[in-house]
PDB file of all heavy atoms in Angstrom:
ATOM      1  N   PHE A  12     113.618 -39.515 -60.165  1.00  0.00           N
ATOM      2  CA  PHE A  12     114.155 -39.121 -61.466  1.00  0.00           C
ATOM      3  C   PHE A  12     114.429 -40.344 -62.310  1.00  0.00           C
ATOM      4  O   PHE A  12     115.018 -41.306 -61.851  1.00  0.00           O
ATOM      5  CB  PHE A  12     115.453 -38.325 -61.290  1.00  0.00           C
ATOM      6  CG  PHE A  12     115.216 -36.951 -60.771  1.00  0.00           C
ATOM      7  CD1 PHE A  12     115.316 -36.681 -59.426  1.00  0.00           C
ATOM      8  CD2 PHE A  12     114.890 -35.933 -61.636  1.00  0.00           C
ATOM      9  CE1 PHE A  12     115.092 -35.420 -58.952  1.00  0.00           C
ATOM     10  CE2 PHE A  12     114.662 -34.660 -61.164  1.00  0.00           C
ATOM     11  CZ  PHE A  12     114.765 -34.401 -59.815  1.00  0.00           C
ATOM     12  N   GLY A  17     120.381 -34.685 -68.986  1.00  0.00           N
ATOM     13  CA  GLY A  17     120.262 -35.235 -70.331  1.00  0.00           C
ATOM     14  C   GLY A  17     119.242 -34.462 -71.131  1.00  0.00           C
ATOM     15  O   GLY A  17     118.583 -33.554 -70.610  1.00  0.00           O
ATOM     16  N   PRO A  29      94.173 -45.041 -62.992  1.00  0.00           N
ATOM     17  CA  PRO A  29      92.835 -44.773 -62.453  1.00  0.00           C
ATOM     18  C   PRO A  29      91.715 -45.376 -63.288  1.00  0.00           C
ATOM     19  O   PRO A  29      90.583 -45.464 -62.831  1.00  0.00           O
ATOM     20  CB  PRO A  29      92.768 -43.248 -62.439  1.00  0.00           C
ATOM     21  CG  PRO A  29      93.759 -42.804 -63.458  1.00  0.00           C
ATOM     22  CD  PRO A  29      94.843 -43.833 -63.480  1.00  0.00           C
ATOM     23  N   GLU A  44     105.349 -26.839 -65.157  1.00  0.00           N
ATOM     24  CA  GLU A  44     106.067 -26.843 -63.882  1.00  0.00           C
ATOM     25  C   GLU A  44     106.183 -25.427 -63.343  1.00  0.00           C
ATOM     26  O   GLU A  44     106.220 -24.454 -64.097  1.00  0.00           O
ATOM     27  CB  GLU A  44     107.452 -27.466 -64.026  1.00  0.00           C
ATOM     28  CG  GLU A  44     108.339 -26.721 -65.004  1.00  0.00           C
ATOM     29  CD  GLU A  44     109.702 -27.388 -65.167  1.00  0.00           C
ATOM     30  OE1 GLU A  44     110.227 -27.916 -64.171  1.00  0.00           O
ATOM     31  OE2 GLU A  44     110.229 -27.371 -66.278  1.00  0.00           O
ATOM     32  N   GLY A  92     103.703 -33.389 -49.776  1.00  0.00           N
ATOM     33  CA  GLY A  92     102.263 -33.632 -49.729  1.00  0.00           C
ATOM     34  C   GLY A  92     101.847 -34.675 -50.743  1.00  0.00           C
ATOM     35  O   GLY A  92     102.649 -35.131 -51.561  1.00  0.00           O
ATOM     36  N   GLY A 108      88.362 -61.129 -44.661  1.00  0.00           N
ATOM     37  CA  GLY A 108      87.255 -61.861 -44.058  1.00  0.00           C
ATOM     38  C   GLY A 108      85.896 -61.561 -44.662  1.00  0.00           C
ATOM     39  O   GLY A 108      84.929 -62.262 -44.379  1.00  0.00           O
ATOM     40  N   ALA A 120      79.977 -49.479 -54.382  1.00  0.00           N
ATOM     41  CA  ALA A 120      79.374 -48.336 -53.678  1.00  0.00           C
ATOM     42  C   ALA A 120      80.402 -47.222 -53.503  1.00  0.00           C
ATOM     43  O   ALA A 120      80.103 -46.034 -53.712  1.00  0.00           O
ATOM     44  CB  ALA A 120      78.828 -48.792 -52.321  1.00  0.00           C
ATOM     45  N   HIS A 175      70.788 -49.206 -39.062  1.00  0.00           N
ATOM     46  CA  HIS A 175      69.497 -48.569 -39.390  1.00  0.00           C
ATOM     47  C   HIS A 175      69.704 -47.258 -40.145  1.00  0.00           C
ATOM     48  O   HIS A 175      68.885 -46.880 -40.989  1.00  0.00           O
ATOM     49  CB  HIS A 175      68.668 -48.362 -38.120  1.00  0.00           C
ATOM     50  CG  HIS A 175      68.057 -49.638 -37.609  1.00  0.00           C
ATOM     51  ND1 HIS A 175      67.201 -50.402 -38.384  1.00  0.00           N
ATOM     52  CD2 HIS A 175      68.188 -50.301 -36.439  1.00  0.00           C
ATOM     53  CE1 HIS A 175      66.821 -51.482 -37.698  1.00  0.00           C
ATOM     54  NE2 HIS A 175      67.418 -51.447 -36.512  1.00  0.00           N
ATOM     55  N   PHE A 214      87.430 -62.233 -38.172  1.00  0.00           N
ATOM     56  CA  PHE A 214      88.490 -62.858 -38.988  1.00  0.00           C
ATOM     57  C   PHE A 214      89.858 -62.613 -38.356  1.00  0.00           C
ATOM     58  O   PHE A 214      90.668 -63.532 -38.223  1.00  0.00           O
ATOM     59  CB  PHE A 214      88.442 -62.276 -40.407  1.00  0.00           C
ATOM     60  CG  PHE A 214      89.521 -62.808 -41.314  1.00  0.00           C
ATOM     61  CD1 PHE A 214      89.322 -63.977 -42.035  1.00  0.00           C
ATOM     62  CD2 PHE A 214      90.733 -62.136 -41.447  1.00  0.00           C
ATOM     63  CE1 PHE A 214      90.319 -64.478 -42.874  1.00  0.00           C
ATOM     64  CE2 PHE A 214      91.733 -62.626 -42.277  1.00  0.00           C
ATOM     65  CZ  PHE A 214      91.523 -63.799 -42.986  1.00  0.00           C
TER      66      PHE A 214
END
Side-chain angles (χ1 to χ4, degrees):
F12 287 96
E44 61 182 324
H175 285 302
F214 178 87

